[in-house]
Amino acid sequence: MLLIDRLSDVVGAAFEAEGFDPKLGRVVRSDRPDLAPFQCNGALAGAKAAKTNPRAIGEAVAARLREEPLFEKVELAGPGFLNLSLTEAALVDAVEAVAADEHLGAWRRADPEKVIMDYGGPNIAKPLHVGHLRSAIIGEAMKRLFRVVGDEVLGDIHLGDWGLQMGQLITQIEREQPNLPYFDDALTGPYPEESPVSVEDLARAYPLASAACKEDEARLAEAQAATAALQAGRPGYRALWQHFVDVSKVALEKDYAELGVSFDLWKGEADADPFIAPLVERLQQNGVIEEDDGALIIRVARDDDKKEIPPLLMVKSNGSVGYGSTDVATIEERVRDLRAERIVYVVDQRQAQHFEQVFRAAARAGLMTEDRLEHAGFGTMNGKDGKPFKTREGGVLRLRDLIDMVVGEASTRITQGGMAADLPPKEQEQIAQRVGIAALKFADLSNPRTTDYIFDLEKFVSFEGKTGPYLLYAAVRIRSVLSRAAETGEGASLILGEPSERGLALALSAYGEAVRAAYQKRLPHILCDHAFHLAQSFSRFYTDCRIGDEADTAKRSSRLRLASITYQQLISVLTILGISVPERM
Ligand code: ARG
């Protein structure tokens, strides 16, 4: 049980004994930790309901709580706030509970679910944009968080591999290499095993095709027809398409690995294609799908909608399917074949309407209820001009460029700070890599998911303030304190005599609440706040107390043990955030 819940129970029982609702006993971390670490404001609400004086209720409850061995001090403040401090023994118990837990005090849910985390979502050949980057970073953290909490989670990249861009690419490659066997209608295979194009070819061909389609309607119609033919199963197109997908996957996997992002499933929109026709047929029979101007649609608008939600397009008039249809069919697949009980989509907030349509359509189709489908949207990472961030002088975002940029800056900072100077060059490189990635990821994750934020390289890579590098540095420092000591402190009894020792113990005890709130609200930044607070609490402890060189043996081993527990919890929370810590720097 979380410490905060236990405190709420005890205070709730005191309220109940005074004839009040035990819910009034809810304890929270104090917003004035200088007065007391915990507080309960129930007396005010109780007095309002009973039309009595809050201080009188507060006094009565406080008198009962003073009898509890948990509390060292119970004080009534202002109009009736209860300020609560714990005894050293209670704090020691709380830290022992953290130390004994394999997840270092993380909250676990009693009734785990089978969840599909849909994130990443890059499109074959189309360049990644900041939305894809954020999706990868936030989705990876959410997947790990859900796992720590107990859910069974599969991360699925859901590649964009079935839309118009495929027809655009096919027709572009046909223009460039018309003699390839894939374009010969008379042939049905076998086709060469070697891909006729590289990822670089795709990255070059797609913008050409896309621009041409914008300028020329006939060219667009051609790409649309090729998309429809691909989806209808034209063998040469399918074979060529498979090459596009395969070469792209290899490149993507490498970029994601560098970011510390990995997927259990590399499925894509195309994987759902075979399920669309039978689904459409069934939904036409039961009237969920309607015909509209030659297209097949599912109406999803409701009377009480504040703004109009257009119908979901299942099959276009030329027979091709789109983003909405593949998403609906993918839900069917995930429920039927993967036994998903919940699907969380970590996708740009700007797609909110798309997901509203898809979720409603899925519910109307009887595939999954809307309460099990979640869009965890996020805001944009903007440049200093307030527009979505781009690298290369306004060009498209390339993950490679972005990573090189942050790692380069991290390397400069490390050199300036005189860090890692006497380590082998290879290790220096690895440290810069970790610092750079940590800077980027922590900057992204520490903002509340739905807000926009500004890409500020200088701030991200700084070793001061609430940054990734600061946290890495904090972790490495604890590690070095521990490795320099002659003993580990393992098994030592904890002594929490100094204020900074208690502060650290309190910070450690707050992890469970942070995990629970981050999970329930789907807000990973709460974990960033915890990591930062923990690191700061350690820093105070480190400044105030001697650790490895403390003369008193009992204190020394207690402090080493406290440092070691802190290190483990810090590593745990950073691991959830997908941030890896170097051994030294
Ligand atoms: N490929 C899409 C895009 O670039 C993102 C996919 C998100 N996932 C989903 N199931 N729709 O916008």
Side-chain angles (χ1 to χ4, degrees):
M1 189 192 234
L2 297 189
L3 174 65
I4 203 91
D5 293 344
R6 191 156 150 246
L7 298 179
S8 296
D9 283 354
V10 171
V11 179
F15 271 96
E16 198 169 27
E18 289 298 320
F20 291 93
D21 185 350
K23 284 204 193 77
L24 293 173
R26 198 171 78 92
V27 172
V28 294
R29 300 258 166 190
S30 164
D31 46 25
R32 288 287 307 275
D34 50 322
L35 299 179
F38 298 97
Q39 71 185 65
C40 169
N41 303 337
L44 291 127
K48 214 176 210 171
K51 298 202 169 55
T52 53
N53 175 357
R55 282 197 69 92
I57 301 176
E59 273 309 346
V61 172
R64 287 185 184 272
L65 295 180
R66 289 187 187 112
E67 302 300 310
E68 291 290 339
L70 267 176
F71 299 112
E72 182 175 84
K73 213 160 68 185
V74 179
E75 276 178 339
L76 196 62
F81 304 115
L82 284 166
N83 285 334
L84 310 164
S85 310
L86 302 190
T87 56
E88 182 179 353
L91 268 182
V92 167
D93 282 351
V95 178
E96 289 293 357
V98 167
D101 180 37
E102 68 169 309
H103 298 286
L104 281 304
W107 175 78
R108 309 261 302 162
R109 66 178 285 180
D111 49 349
E113 291 178 324
K114 172 113 195 213
V115 181
I116 307 286
M117 194 67 68
D118 181 316
Y119 68 105
N123 301 312
I124 299 294
K126 284 202 219 174
L128 289 187
H129 56 69
V130 288
H132 296 114
L133 174 75
R134 293 210 70 193
S135 174
I137 294 175
I138 299 170
E140 180 71 24
M142 298 246 288
K143 178 187 74 182
R144 295 175 183 214
L145 170 61
F146 276 49
R147 282 190 181 150
V148 163
V149 160
D151 286 327
E152 192 187 324
V153 193
L154 288 174
D156 184 2
I157 190 166
H158 199 74
L159 286 173
D161 59 1
W162 212 227
L164 176 63
Q165 85 269 25
M166 305 319 302
Q168 290 174 315
L169 273 179
I170 291 171
T171 49
Q172 182 67 27
I173 301 299
E174 181 167 17
R175 275 179 166 61
E176 296 177 3
Q177 306 182 55
N179 296 328
L180 289 175
Y182 308 97
F183 306 117
D184 185 344
D185 223 356
L187 266 178
T188 53
Y191 298 96
E193 271 178 34
E194 179 108 4
S195 174
V197 288
S198 65
V199 252
E200 288 78 24
D201 291 329
L202 296 182
R204 180 188 46 74
Y206 174 73
L208 292 177
S210 154
C213 288
K214 266 187 203 127
E215 269 164 35
D216 179 359
E217 256 176 61
R219 177 77 178 76
L220 176 64
E222 199 188 314
Q224 284 166 335
T227 308
L230 167 73
Q231 293 180 353
R234 182 171 154 161
Y237 285 7
R238 287 277 180 138
L240 183 57
W241 169 87
Q242 192 64 56
H243 285 307
F244 295 166
V245 173
D246 292 344
V247 296
S248 302
K249 273 187 187 169
V250 174
L252 284 167
E253 218 157 356
K254 199 166 145 276
D255 283 349
Y256 282 122
E258 203 158 337
L259 269 185
V261 171
S262 66
F263 300 93
D264 306 291
L265 301 171
W266 278 77
K267 289 184 164 270
E269 295 163 356
D271 287 288
D273 190 68
F275 312 127
I276 296 179
L279 180 66
V280 166
E281 197 183 311
R282 204 172 80 222
L283 298 179
Q284 259 181 312
Q285 271 161 18
N286 67 14
V288 169
I289 283 186
E290 293 166 48
E291 215 184 302
D292 184 56
D293 228 0
L296 299 178
I297 59 164
I298 302 180
R299 289 191 197 281
V300 295
R302 287 176 192 151
D303 291 343
D304 56 351
D305 283 340
K306 290 200 184 67
K307 66 172 206 232
E308 200 185 308
I309 312 273
L312 183 104
L313 184 59
M314 281 297 281
V315 184
K316 292 175 195 157
S317 47
N318 75 352
S320 69
V321 298
Y323 191 39
S325 359
T326 50
D327 257 331
V328 173
T330 301
I331 293 175
E332 177 173 55
E333 182 192 10
R334 286 171 175 171
V335 173
R336 185 193 52 211
D337 301 345
L338 302 172
R339 304 255 161 257
E341 294 172 288
R342 177 172 300 281
I343 308 175
V344 181
Y345 298 83
V346 184
V347 184
D348 202 313
Q349 191 60 42
R350 288 171 292 186
Q351 293 193 24
Q353 176 172 293
H354 165 76
F355 286 107
E356 189 65 55
Q357 291 174 299
V358 168
F359 296 172
R360 289 183 183 195
R364 282 206 62 198
L367 302 176
M368 200 176 213
T369 52
E370 278 175 71
D371 59 325
R372 297 184 164 273
L373 293 163
E374 290 179 35
H375 174 211
F378 48 80
T380 314
M381 177 172 96
N382 289 321
K384 288 195 171 139
D385 58 359
K387 298 202 192 97
F389 179 77
K390 297 190 163 141
T391 51
R392 289 199 168 174
E393 305 299 308
V396 294
L397 172 93
R398 285 177 182 277
L399 200 49
R400 185 67 273 139
D401 294 350
L402 185 68
I403 291 175
D404 288 348
M405 196 161 123
V406 285
V407 171
E409 186 70 20
S411 171
T412 310
R413 289 296 175 99
I414 290 169
T415 314
Q416 280 169 356
M419 277 178 265
D422 40 1
L423 297 180
K426 190 117 193 93
E427 192 175 343
Q428 286 187 14
E429 241 171 71
Q430 196 203 34
I431 291 170
Q433 175 82 14
R434 295 214 168 156
V435 171
I437 300 288
L440 183 67
K441 291 182 102 174
F442 193 83
D444 193 279
L445 291 166
S446 58
N447 290 288
R449 173 168 55 75
T450 51
T451 58
D452 296 348
Y453 72 96
I454 291 180
F455 182 85
D456 183 345
L457 191 54
E458 302 246 309
K459 193 170 114 195
F460 293 0
V461 300
S462 168
F463 279 90
E464 274 148 46
K466 197 170 165 186
T467 67
Y470 169 79
L471 285 163
L472 293 195
Y473 184 72
V476 167
R477 185 166 66 177
I478 306 177
R479 198 187 152 106
S480 109
V481 168
L482 290 168
S483 64
R484 270 184 281 128
E487 58 187 307
T488 62
E490 212 180 301
S493 309
L494 293 168
I495 305 166
L496 303 172
E498 301 299 324
S500 63
E501 289 176 307
R502 288 164 164 262
L504 182 54
L506 282 164
L508 285 164
S509 79
Y511 184 44
E513 292 145 64
V515 168
R516 178 165 66 187
Y519 175 78
Q520 289 178 339
K521 298 179 184 163
R522 316 313 200 198
L523 292 175
H525 80 273
I526 295 172
L527 294 175
C528 296
D529 292 345
H530 176 76
F532 184 59
H533 179 60
L534 184 64
Q536 282 188 308
S537 304
F538 182 83
S539 184
R540 248 167 256 138
F541 165 64
Y542 180 80
T543 313
D544 288 357
C545 300
R546 292 181 163 274
I547 305 177
D549 57 357
E550 164 64 46
D552 181 304
T553 322
K555 277 190 195 164
R556 184 174 64 239
S557 7
S558 161
R559 286 175 185 166
L560 283 166
R561 181 153 176 245
L562 198 57
S564 153
I565 299 167
T566 304
Y567 181 73
Q568 292 170 50
Q569 194 184 74
L570 192 53
I571 295 294
S572 280
V573 62
L574 290 175
T575 302
I576 298 180
L577 297 171
I579 292 175
S580 43
V581 178
E583 283 178 17
R584 49 187 186 173
M585 60 197 226

